Every structure is written in structure tokens, then in C-alpha cells.
Amino acid sequence: MKRYQNMLLLLAVVALIALPLWMIRKPARGVNSKQAVIFTGADDKAKDLVGSIAPGYKAWARPLMEPPSGEVGSMLFALQAALGAGFIGYYIGVSTTRAKMRRESGTETRC
Amino acid sequence: MHIMEGFLPVKHAIGWSIAAAPFVGYGLHVINKRVKENPEQRMLLGVAAAFTFVLSALKLPSVTGSCSHPTGTGLGAVLFGPTAMAPIGAVVLLFQAILLAHGGLTTLGANIFSMAIVGPFAAAAIFRLAKSVKLAFGLSIFLAASLADLLTYITTSAQLALAFPDPTGGFTASFVKFSAVFAFTQMPLAIIEGLLTVVVMNSLLRFNARELQEMKVTAPETVRA
């Protein structure tokens, strides 16, 4: 059981991500023929909520730089995730090899 | 939990920045000291930062029909203590604010406060509490990471409710509305964050058991100097 724990946990993660994708269906096109959108960012929804609670509020600052398109934006997010995942993978790889070498040299049979 | 650029009134933006600054400053001092005393922990510190990088970049779909992302601060808070996570979270938020127009410089203080201060402190406290009532190690990690994630988003809701109280219902009504956007969306994601933190912690336990013992993450309770 312990051996497969990580695999089971990762399966649970995949299931939790897939479940909403399967559960939530895109509503049919409205009368005003505006395309319905689902799975937008919660941050944007909060922004809209600010607009409805305080209609007079004007954002007083603008981002210095905005990704010129959604594609460029997702590239930067992917880059951020790749850098992080790459480093974690590297560290676990180094640790695995080190643990193996310690075992083989027999200096750490018990700990 | 990213409050968009310019979406906090000036007074609030300044207030949260002033509130967050000492934590980031003290956190830098803690990290410097730690790396100087235990240079071998530098790599593990990198792992904690990398984990926050990965998780905060993953926008995941939730059952409410909107997308949000985990924070990844629980792992580092358990490994290095909550103060070390303030500067690490600040770097991630700064990266997203400048390059991705996600969050912002005027709201950086508020975002640091929710993600890199409240979250890690909650994680460390919950982990310690879970350990003191002798919960299993994996379960303690799961609770610490997922509740820290959720509390981060509740903090953001409170920050927005403070800045934009409902004209009739005041802070409470507004807090309920913002929580509906953030906290409910976040629930499944908080579980995902908890599970992923346990996965990484399991790998560390398997191959870096000695380091974790030295860092007093898994060692039996000893009197702290």
C-alpha cells in the first residue's frame, strides 16, 4: 500500500481535475447570441464583482506589461511551471542517486 | 487570489504593503542565516521555491465552473518555517505581476500578505497542532497544505470585502460574495494542493530522510534552543 501511495494520490489529483471538466457543461448559446464562456479565472470574476459592488470604482493603475496575446501568456505560465518542475525533478533525481550510492558503499546500512 | 493591478484603493494598497514588508525583510534575514549555517539545505530551499512556482502557475478547473490555482506555500512552511516563505512567495508574485499582468505592483503587498504570510503561518501552525495530537505524518501534511491554501483565498476575500463593503450589507455581505467566488472554487483545488504536497513530501522522506530529521520536520519532539 505504502509503495503505491504516491501513484494513488496522483490518480486522485487527476480525477479531481477531470471531474469538473466532465460535470460542467457549456450552457447553450443565449438569445443575444453571445458565446457562453465557462472556466474563466476566479480573479477575473472577483474583478467583475468589484464592478457590481462599487460601480463607480476606477482601477487607478495599469499593468506595466501585458502579454500581447493569450498564447504568449500561457507560454509564460508554462515556462514558470516548467522551471519549477524541472528543478524538483532534478533534486529528486540527485537524491535518488545519492541514496543508492550510500546504500552500495555500505556506509549507511542503518539510519 | 491575485487582486488585479489597481483594484485596491490607494490607502488599502499602501496599508497592505506596509503590513507585508517586515515579514519579507525578516524572512530574507532568516533564509540568509539558515543558508549560512546549513549550506547543504540550499537545494531543499530551492525545491520549496520551485514547488510554489509550479503550483501557482497551474490554473485548474473547479466545480464552480471557474478556474483558480493552488499556492504551493505549505511545503516550504513545514520545511523551513513560515517566515522563510514570505520572500519566496514575494518573488513568485512579483514575477507574475511584472511579466504576466497577473496580480499587480500596487496590490503586491495585499497578495503577499494572503499567499506568502497568512498561508504559510497557517500551514506551520496546523502542522504543529496535528503533530501534537499525534495525527499521522501524511495526514498532518495534507491538512496543513490544503487548509493553508483555503485560508489564503479567504484572506483575499476579506481584503476585497474591506476595500469594497457592500452598500447595504457592509463588510459581511461583501465578504460572503467574494468568498463565493474564491473559497468555493478553491475547495477542490485545496484538496489537490494537499495531495500534491504529500506526494512531494513522500519522495523527500524516502530519499532525504536524514535531512528532514536534521531539520526537525520528522524528528521526535526535541526541546528547541
Side-chain angles (χ1 to χ4, degrees), chain A residues 6 39-40 42 57 60 98 108, chain B residues 6 8 53 65 67 202 210-211:
Chain A
N6 268 6
F39 293 124
T40 52
Y57 185 78
W60 55 281
R98 198 179 46 188
E108 268 208 341
Chain B
L8 274 183
F53 251 75
C67 277
N202 276 343
R210 206 170 57 173
E211 280 92 333

Side-chain angles (χ1 to χ4, degrees), chain A residues 5-6 20 24 39-40 42-47 57 59-60 65-66 76 80 84-85 87 90-91 95 98 102 108, chain B residues 1-2 4 6-9 46-47 50 53-54 56 62-63 65-67 96 100-102 199 202 208 210-211:
Chain A
Q5 196 188 24
N6 268 6
I24 312 270
F39 293 124
T40 52
D43 292 340
D44 280 318
K45 285 199 172 162
K47 195 169 92 177
Y57 185 78
W60 55 281
M65 268 199 292
E66 258 176 280
L76 288 169
Q80 187 190 331
F87 189 84
Y90 169 74
Y91 183 75
S95 304
R98 198 179 46 188
R102 273 184 195 156
E108 268 208 341
Chain B
M1 41 64 59
H2 293 77
M4 301 276 187
F7 268 83
L8 274 183
V47 170
F53 251 75
V54 181
S56 65
S62 173
V63 284
S66 42
C67 277
Q96 294 176 334
L100 293 157
H102 196 59
V199 167
N202 276 343
N208 304 81
R210 206 170 57 173
E211 280 92 333

Side-chain angles (χ1 to χ4, degrees), chain A residues 31 36 79-82 89:
Chain A
V31 267
L79 190 67
Q80 187 190 331

Side-chain angles (χ1 to χ4, degrees), chain B residues 18-28 83 86-87 112-113 116-117 121:
Chain B
I18 292 172
F23 286 93
V24 176
Y26 181 67
L28 278 175
T83 44
I112 290 175
F113 202 87
I117 297 171
F121 271 92

Side-chain angles (χ1 to χ4, degrees), chain B residues 66-93:
Chain B
S66 42
C67 277
S68 188
H69 61 88
T71 61
T73 55
L75 180 74
V78 169
L79 289 176
F80 291 97
T83 44
M85 287 315 284
I88 290 176
V91 169
V92 175
L93 289 166

